[in-house]
Amino acid sequence: MTVGGEVVGSILGPGLCVLVGVTHDDTREHAKRLAAKLWSLRILDGEKSCSDLGAPLLVVSQFTLYGNAAKGRRPTWNAAAPGEVAEPMVDAVVAELRALGAHVETGVFGADMKVGLVNDGPITLVLDI
């Protein structure tokens, strides 16, 4: 993942690229539960988890996950928490993962990030906590 042409976060080999969207009523407890789920989710090769393999996670803040394009041609972002609420929640997910023993790389909150991804499978999941 790069910002302004500089690599700010990167993982190699098996691991997870985690796009974290935050909405208005998310709490520190949600962050803790999400971290535990991500660390133990058995979706890597051989039904292993990141905790089983010591696999890293790349955590990217992603308010666009709460975009709503149900009406018209322009999405709204009303369900996404504002930056001053969302940034501490993304930081909390990262802190909780690290407390569990995970190696976590991150982007830069609010920056124009370029994220490269090799999706093995492919598999993409939405986890609502």
Side-chain angles (χ1 to χ4, degrees):
M1 172 172 21
T2 62
V3 174
E6 306 253 347
V7 174
V8 295
S10 176
I11 63 172
L12 295 173
L16 297 181
C17 179
V18 180
L19 306 177
V20 177
V22 178
T23 193
H24 301 280
D25 59 355
D26 285 335
T27 66
R28 180 75 187 212
E29 182 59 28
H30 289 119
K32 186 174 186 172
R33 289 179 22 224
L34 178 60
K37 175 70 94 174
L38 291 167
W39 187 231
S40 63
L41 197 61
R42 297 170 54 115
I43 59 171
L44 299 178
D45 192 37
E47 294 189 17
K48 302 288 186 189
S49 67
C50 285
S51 65
D52 293 333
L53 301 176
L57 298 95
L58 178 66
V59 175
V60 183
S61 60
Q62 190 70 28
F63 79 92
T64 61
L65 292 171
Y66 280 102
N68 183 342
K71 295 181 183 177
R73 296 177 297 152
R74 182 180 287 170
T76 65
W77 316 109
N78 297 336
E84 61 272 7
V85 173
E87 185 174 14
M89 292 304 301
V90 174
D91 290 345
V93 171
V94 170
E96 293 291 345
L97 281 164
R98 288 179 175 152
L100 292 168
H103 172 82
V104 182
E105 294 280 326
T106 65
V108 177
F109 188 90
D112 180 10
M113 294 180 279
K114 307 298 182 216
V115 180
L117 167 67
V118 174
N119 199 348
D120 187 9
I123 181 171
T124 303
L125 300 173
V126 175
L127 302 177
D128 284 325
I129 301 294

